[in-house]
Amino acid sequence: MDQANQLRERLREQASLRTAKTIAVISGKGGVGKSNISLNFSIGLKRKGYRILLFDLDIGMGNIEILMGRSSPLSIADYFAGTTGIRDLFTEGPEGIQYISGGTGLNQLVTLDSESVSTFIDDLKSVWAEYDYVIFDMGAGMNEETMNLLLAVNEMIVVTTPEPTAIMDAYAAIKYIHMNDRDIPFSIIVNRARPGREGRETLDRLEDVLVKFLGKKPVKLGVLPEDTHVFQAVRKQVPFILEFPKAPITRELETLIARFENRQSYEAAPEHFFVKLKRLFEKKWQA
């Protein structure tokens, strides 16, 4: 009984320490369906019972809100302007996911002082334990501030298509991040694949290049097909996973999410996100 009580106590302590895992969804170029995947992936995880926060960092585009047919009255720019608190930024999206709008003001990060960013990180940390996953939908480009965030996340999902230019741009993005941190894990999704082996061959080709030139073996998360249901959902401003639950892309996305879920572990709190993020910004300010 004593051993059982001690085990239960340890499990309770772990549960109290558990906090969100951070995932950045990136692409080497725009137009590959990254934001659509970020949104529908988030909804798919929410349906499995996970608490999800989707953070739109595709600045100035508003893609997440367009895709879901909703809008938030506040963005991260309002927080840095000092007109609102961190909790006021959270807006409920489809299926109960929470999201933060990027608006058009996150470029202000370039001129923020150390105290502002330090406060922002501390405020985020205070709400992190309320979620299982925080998913950052990143913009196609990278600057010093977004790179700091990328280097702090627990893992990255890279979205590409079978087009040669998209594959090369995805490789270039991975290489750039890898040169700054060799330990960040990468997963790959190939989107808009035509019927046949095109998608799987694209995954294999990109893996071969990463292993050969970077010594980096990615997780091949899956392939999503070219599907006209996606364009119909975009026009209706409803996520395709909700509008077309039996569509080929929805079925493949659910398989992909199950594969992602099976390789996750919640034994330890990924506290290092905040430690790394603060250290990266402090390094910039000291330079």
Side-chain angles (χ1 to χ4, degrees):
M1 288 296 295
D2 288 341
Q3 289 180 336
N5 288 333
Q6 290 174 7
L7 176 59
R8 280 194 290 270
E9 183 62 29
R10 284 200 298 270
L11 291 174
R12 280 194 292 268
E13 289 175 356
Q14 287 182 350
S16 66
L17 291 172
R18 195 171 75 184
T19 186
K21 286 192 173 182
T22 49
I23 302 167
V25 184
I26 70 170
S27 63
K29 60 178 289 187
V32 299
K34 172 185 54 60
S35 294
N36 217 339
I37 290 174
S38 295
L39 174 59
N40 286 275
F41 185 83
S42 297
I43 294 171
L45 284 174
K46 183 65 170 65
R47 283 182 159 183
K48 285 180 170 287
Y50 296 105
R51 302 165 300 170
I52 304 299
L53 174 62
L54 177 59
F55 203 143
D56 184 3
L57 290 179
D58 200 355
I59 306 306
M61 303 301 292
N63 286 336
I64 294 294
E65 293 185 317
I66 292 171
L67 290 168
M68 69 172 71
R70 306 188 187 192
S71 62
S72 172
L74 298 171
S75 75
I76 193 65
D78 296 294
Y79 171 87
F80 284 117
T83 59
T84 188
I86 192 71
R87 288 187 180 274
D88 296 326
L89 301 179
F90 293 74
T91 304
E92 185 168 324
E95 295 288 297
I97 67 169
Q98 299 288 311
Y99 75 93
I100 295 179
S101 170
T104 59
L106 200 61
N107 288 334
Q108 293 178 25
L109 269 177
V110 176
T111 58
L112 288 176
D113 58 29
S114 58
E115 183 178 353
S116 298
V117 174
S118 181
T119 300
F120 177 55
I121 292 172
D122 290 339
D123 285 349
L124 281 180
K125 190 173 182 179
S126 70
V127 300
W128 234 233
E130 299 174 17
Y131 299 95
D132 296 305
Y133 291 104
V134 176
I135 299 173
F136 298 100
D137 178 42
M138 306 299 297
M142 294 183 192
N143 57 31
E144 188 174 357
E145 279 66 39
T146 56
M147 176 58 73
N148 282 344
L149 189 146
L150 287 172
L151 295 177
V153 298
N154 298 116
E155 62 180 287
M156 296 190 200
I157 295 176
V158 183
V159 179
T160 186
T161 68
E163 296 178 6
T165 54
I167 297 171
M168 291 306 300
D169 286 340
Y171 169 74
I174 294 172
K175 179 181 178 181
Y176 183 52
I177 296 166
H178 180 74
M179 289 172 61
N180 288 276
D181 188 335
R182 296 176 178 272
D183 296 326
I184 295 178
F186 287 91
S187 297
I188 302 172
I189 295 175
V190 175
N191 193 30
R192 296 178 182 166
R194 291 183 290 257
R197 290 189 48 80
E198 181 182 59
R200 182 56 55 179
E201 289 174 351
T202 301
L203 278 177
D204 293 341
R205 191 180 315 128
L206 187 50
E207 178 189 43
D208 291 343
V209 171
L210 291 170
V211 171
K212 180 178 180 179
F213 294 104
L214 301 182
K216 186 77 172 180
K217 188 173 181 62
V219 174
K220 294 184 288 187
L221 204 52
V223 176
L224 298 176
E226 183 77 74
D227 191 335
T228 57
H229 291 100
V230 175
F231 302 105
Q232 296 175 45
V234 170
R235 284 198 295 268
K236 293 181 178 182
Q237 292 185 283
V238 180
F240 65 76
I241 195 172
L242 302 180
E243 185 70 8
F244 301 106
K246 297 185 182 300
I249 190 167
T250 300
R251 292 197 300 268
E252 291 300 324
L253 179 66
E254 289 170 345
T255 299
L256 186 153
I257 290 171
R259 187 176 298 121
F260 170 85
E261 184 183 24
N262 288 338
R263 44 178 292 271
Q264 298 300 304
S265 171
Y266 286 93
E267 294 178 357
E271 198 69 22
H272 76 273
F273 171 75
F274 295 101
V275 176
K276 290 178 68 176
L277 189 60
K278 187 170 287 191
R279 185 175 68 245
L280 288 163
F281 274 105
E282 287 174 348
K283 183 178 179 182
K284 171 196 171 184
W285 295 319
Q286 293 170 1

